[in-house]
Each structure stands twice: as C-alpha cells, then as structure tokens.
Amino acid sequence: MDDQNRRPDRRGLLLMGAAAGLAPAACAPAAKAPVASLNVASQKGNTRALVEAAGVLVGAPYRVAWSEFGAASPLLEALGANAVDIGGVGDAPFLFAFAAGARIKAVFAYQTASAGGSVAIVTPTASPLRGSVGHFLLLRVLDRAHLPLDAAHPVFLSPGDCKAALQTGAVDAWATWAPYIGLATLHDANRVLVDGRGLFVGYSFMAASEAAIAAKRPLLTDFVARLAKAYAWGRTNPRLYTAALARDTGMPLDVAADSIARQNVSPAPITPDVARAERATLDLFRRAGIASTSEAIEGAFDPSFNAAWSA
C-alpha cells in the first residue's frame, strides 16, 4: 500500500471533529425564557391583602413582586422613580403627585359605596371642635363652611405618630382613613367629627408609571382584570375578607370589619366624569396654594384599560 493510501483523510477527520463539537450543543436543553415580572406597590392592608385573599393571581403568566408602604406618599415616590410599576392610592395624593410632575397615570379607578365614608376627621370624645383639621378633607370642610382655607393648621405625621399625638393632646384632631378610623374610635375614646360623605366622590386609583404602561401593558391589562375580580370577591365574601385583612395587618377583627364596611369598594370606569370630579379636587388644592400645575387634568388618566375588566 503506498503512502497516499496509508495517510488518513484529514478532511474527513476535520469534518468528524466539527460534527463532534456540535453534538453537545445540539443536545443541550434550550435556555428558559425569563419569567415576566410586575412590580406592584400596596399600602399595608390594601391591594395585596385583597388580591392574595381572593386568590386571583393563580395562573397568572407573570410573577408579581410586592412592595408594601405605610402611606401613599412614599408609594408615589417609588412609582415616580420607576421602582414599582403600579400601586393603589387615594385621589388626593395621586393628584398631588401628578401636579408635582410625576410621570404617572391612573389606569384603574375604584370608588367606595359610601362616597367618602372611608375618610374622616377624628377627635377626642371630649373635644369641643365642630369642624377643622387635615389635608383634603380639612380643605373641603373649611370650603363648605366658607372659612379661609388657611384657618386651620395641619401637622403632617405618619398614621402611628398621628394616633399618639391625638392621644396625648398634641393635636386637636386627626384626618385619617380606614382602617385607622376604626382603630381610633373602636379602641380609643375618640369620635368621628365629620367624614367625607357629601364632600367628595370617594375615588381611588391604581396608578402606573408611564414607563410601565409603555413596557408592560399586557401585564398591567391582565392585572387590573384580576383586581376587578378580587373586589367582586371581597364584596361577596366579607367574613373571609375580614379574617384575611386581620391576619395581614395584625389589626383586631372588629377594626378589619369596620374598615371593609366603610370602604365597600367597587371598580369604576375611568370616564370624563371622573376627570371632571378630580379637576374640582385639584382646583381646591390650587386655591389653597399647595398645587400650582397648569397641566390639564385629563392627562392624568388613561381610560384604555377600562376594556380589560368592564366588558
């Protein structure tokens, strides 16, 4: 056999080697696609407590990462900084953030059946006061009484500090919301001086950052649809909702029940009527000198998510 016949075919070896090198890659499992995530902000005892109790996230094609806040102001700061995608707040703090230039929009509205009964000014039982104190409710009370909007002197504290200040007499009254109304009146010697019924329409909003609306619209659309189902569950299962709220917050059962009864929330489509009602709210802030934006209030609302749950 001559040398040519003895010499191995180098081209064949190279081809075999190349094929061998490709084989492991061809057999390797495909990399899993990352699971989509929606970052949801909740005030303690609100959105998260309801959604988890109702079980509406079962089967969601994305992961919800929860962040909990003690009040609306830090929640809105996180939303404006794109640290969270969506979160629930009352209309007054939402409008305040919008007026301050936050790039956020309301994508889902909900309303208390008592139209303001979930917000109240609480005073000690022996207090002689008959109408004053506290931000938006304070302004509405003063406005209705035809008093100057600076006739009272608000002190801005956390809910826990407010409760302590009221007990010690450091403040005359506390403008607050459920569940703190129940904590102040059911377990301490306080009474409701006035609540928001007849003073405003009682809207609250799920606000989303403009960045999230642009990048996560399908997730937001699915989430608000599930949230509407959660509110329906809460209205038809008040005892289960009460127990879940008490577990989540550590509040007594009677306070949890009082909070749910005061709120009795239902979703409300974002319509021109909602914008008109909120324009009146923002105008009051402007008259009080605590909001100066001239931007049209209609820019604060995105009605395109209505169809996700109202069909």
Side-chain angles (χ1 to χ4, degrees):
M1 183 177 293
D2 58 26
D3 289 342
Q4 184 177 356
N5 290 333
R6 294 194 196 98
R7 188 181 300 121
D9 187 338
R10 295 177 59 82
R11 289 175 302 172
L13 289 174
L14 288 171
L15 288 171
M16 290 174 63
L22 289 173
C27 295
K32 291 184 177 179
V35 177
S37 178
L38 189 66
N39 301 313
V40 182
S42 173
Q43 295 184 60
K44 186 68 173 176
N46 286 335
T47 310
R48 182 176 184 174
L50 172 64
V51 165
E52 291 188 340
V56 294
L57 289 179
V58 174
Y62 52 88
R63 182 177 66 90
V64 168
W66 292 100
S67 297
E68 291 203 317
F69 298 85
S73 179
L75 187 158
L76 285 161
E77 289 177 6
L79 196 61
N82 295 321
V84 295
D85 298 319
I86 186 172
V89 292
D91 62 345
F94 168 73
L95 293 174
F96 224 107
F98 173 77
R103 303 298 297 267
I104 59 176
K105 291 184 183 295
V107 297
F108 181 86
Y110 45 104
Q111 187 177 27
T112 60
S114 59
S118 61
V119 183
I121 295 175
V122 176
T123 66
T125 301
S127 172
L129 285 179
R130 289 295 176 269
S132 61
V133 185
H135 213 179
F136 179 59
L137 182 56
L138 163 66
L139 296 177
R140 290 291 288 137
V141 168
L142 293 174
D143 191 51
R144 185 177 67 173
H146 305 293
L147 295 172
L149 296 182
D150 60 355
H153 305 287
V155 178
F156 300 100
L157 301 169
S158 69
D161 289 340
C162 281
K163 186 175 186 294
L166 187 67
Q167 288 175 322
T168 61
V171 297
D172 297 312
W174 177 18
T176 190
W177 58 90
Y180 301 108
I181 298 170
L183 282 171
T185 59
L186 296 176
H187 290 260
D188 292 329
N190 300 303
R191 61 186 172 88
V192 171
L193 177 65
V194 62
D195 65 23
R197 281 176 281 204
L199 295 174
F200 54 95
V201 291
Y203 286 117
S204 294
F205 301 106
M206 293 299 293
S209 69
E210 291 183 0
I213 293 172
K216 298 185 178 182
R217 176 174 284 273
L219 277 64
L220 292 171
T221 299
D222 182 83
F223 182 78
V224 298
R226 294 173 187 270
L227 183 58
K229 293 178 181 177
Y231 280 120
W233 177 89
R235 291 192 304 276
T236 56
N237 296 276
R239 293 182 65 181
L240 293 176
Y241 186 14
T242 296
L245 182 60
R247 282 196 307 272
D248 183 76
T249 60
M251 68 177 67
L253 277 172
D254 60 344
V255 174
D258 179 79
S259 176
I260 290 170
R262 285 182 181 277
Q263 296 182 75
N264 192 17
V265 173
S266 297
I270 293 176
T271 65
D273 286 342
V274 172
R276 278 191 288 271
E278 296 308 323
R279 186 187 302 117
T281 300
L282 186 56
D283 285 345
L284 186 60
F285 282 132
R286 287 169 175 154
R287 286 169 49 204
I290 53 179
S292 58
T293 182
S294 59
E295 188 171 352
I297 189 65
E298 287 75 14
F301 303 99
D302 186 342
S304 66
F305 291 87
N306 287 344
W309 61 270
S310 59

